[in-house]
Amino acid sequence: MRGRPVVLFLFLCLYLPSISNAQSDTLSLAHVAGQDGLTVLHAAGYVFTGPTRWGGSDWAKFGGMAALTGGAALLDDEWLSVMDRNRNKVNDRVSDVVVQFGDAGGLVLVGGMYVTGLFARNTWLRETGLLAGTSILMAGAVNTVMKTIVGRARPYTGLGNHEFKPFTISNDDYLSFPSGHTVVAFSLSTVLSRRIGNTWASIGLYALATGTALSRNYTRNHWLSDVVCGGILSTLISDSIVSWYEREKGGPPGLGLNVLPGPGGIAIVYIF
C-alpha cells in the first residue's frame, strides 16, 4: 500500500507532461489554422476590391481576356464539331480521368496538402494548400456570379451558343459560362506552378489543366469560349493572390478582417 503513492506520483510525472504537450500542440495547430482563416478573409478583401486599384496593365489584362473570349466564341461551333469527330472509347477514358483534376481529385489534393502541412509542421506544404484553396474559392465565387448573371445555355441542350437566360440560379442547363471545372484546374495549376518554380513542372501542370478544359468541351458541357474565359480568369486571380501573399507575408496587417491590439484589449477591424 505504501508503494502505491510513489507509483502514482511517478505515473503523474510521466503522464501529465504528455497531456500538457498534447494540449499545447492542439492549441498551436488551432492558432495556425485560425491565422490561415484570417488569411482567406484578407484575400477575399483583396480580390473583391481589386478593380478599385487597377492600373493600365490590369485593364489591359481584362481587355485581353475579353478579346480572347470573344474570339473563341467565333469558333464555338467549329470546335464542338472537332470534339465530336474525335469521339471514341480511348478519348472517353482520357476525358474521364483528366476532368478529375478540376473536380474531386483536385479538391482532395488541395485539402490533403493543407492538412498534411498543418499536422506535419511543413510550412511550404501548408501554405501551398492554403493558397490553392483560397484561389479556387475566390475564382470560384467570381465564376459563380458570372454564371448566374450570364445564364448561357450549355452545348448539350442543342440551343446554340447565343442562347441566354440571364440571372439563372437553379437550372444547370443555363450555367455554361464560364467553366467551373476549368477554373478549379487552372487555379490549382497556377498556384502549384508559382510555388514549385520549375519550368517542366509548370508545363505539366498547365497541360493537365488544359486537358480538364478540353474534357468539358468533349463532353459537350461547355463551349470553347467558356473554358477560355474560365482559364484566363482563374489564372489571373490565382497569380495575383500568390503575389499578394508573398508581399504581405511578414508585413503589416493586410486587407480584410484583422484582430489588432486596441485600447485596453483588442480591436476587430476590416481593412479595405
Side-chain angles (χ1 to χ4, degrees), residues 198-222:
N198 178 276
T199 300
W200 290 107
S202 296
I203 292 173
L205 287 164
Y206 280 112
L208 187 55
T210 300
T212 297
L214 293 179
S215 74
R216 301 303 284 165
N217 297 146
Y218 183 79
T219 55
R220 300 181 70 92
N221 279 283
H222 287 286

Side-chain angles (χ1 to χ4, degrees), residues 67-138:
L68 288 172
T69 300
L74 299 176
L75 302 173
D76 278 338
D77 290 326
E78 289 77 6
W79 187 246
L80 205 61
S81 297
V82 171
M83 294 288 105
D84 289 341
R85 288 198 299 270
N86 287 276
R87 196 173 300 281
N88 55 57
K89 291 183 178 179
V90 173
N91 288 337
D92 287 348
R93 295 193 188 97
V94 173
S95 175
D96 290 341
V97 172
V98 296
V99 74
Q100 292 303 315
F101 189 64
D103 203 333
L107 298 178
V108 169
L109 175 61
V110 171
M113 285 191 297
Y114 180 77
V115 172
T116 301
L118 179 65
F119 284 94
R121 306 297 200 284
N122 186 308
T123 301
W124 184 91
L125 198 59
R126 177 181 60 79
E127 289 182 342
T128 301
L130 173 66
L131 290 171
T134 301
S135 297
I136 290 172
L137 185 62
M138 298 302 112

Side-chain angles (χ1 to χ4, degrees), residues 186-269:
F186 274 89
S187 294
L188 181 51
S189 288
T190 299
V191 172
L192 290 177
S193 175
R194 285 285 303 270
R195 297 286 289 175
I196 294 172
N198 178 276
T199 300
W200 290 107
S202 296
I203 292 173
L205 287 164
Y206 280 112
L208 187 55
T210 300
T212 297
L214 293 179
S215 74
R216 301 303 284 165
N217 297 146
Y218 183 79
T219 55
R220 300 181 70 92
N221 279 283
H222 287 286
W223 304 98
L224 176 62
S225 50
D226 296 340
V227 301
V228 168
C229 181
I232 298 174
L233 174 72
S234 54
T235 298
L236 293 176
I237 291 176
S238 301
D239 189 66
S240 69
I241 288 176
V242 175
S243 296
W244 163 80
Y245 184 80
E246 291 176 349
R247 288 195 306 269
E248 294 293 315
K249 187 178 179 182
L255 300 169
L257 188 67
N258 289 272
V259 180
L260 303 174
I266 61 172
I268 300 177
V269 298

Side-chain angles (χ1 to χ4, degrees), residues 11-26:
F11 173 78
L12 291 175
C13 287
L14 294 172
Y15 183 67
L16 288 180
S18 67
I19 295 177
S20 178
N21 291 336
Q23 290 175 337
S24 177
D25 289 346
T26 300

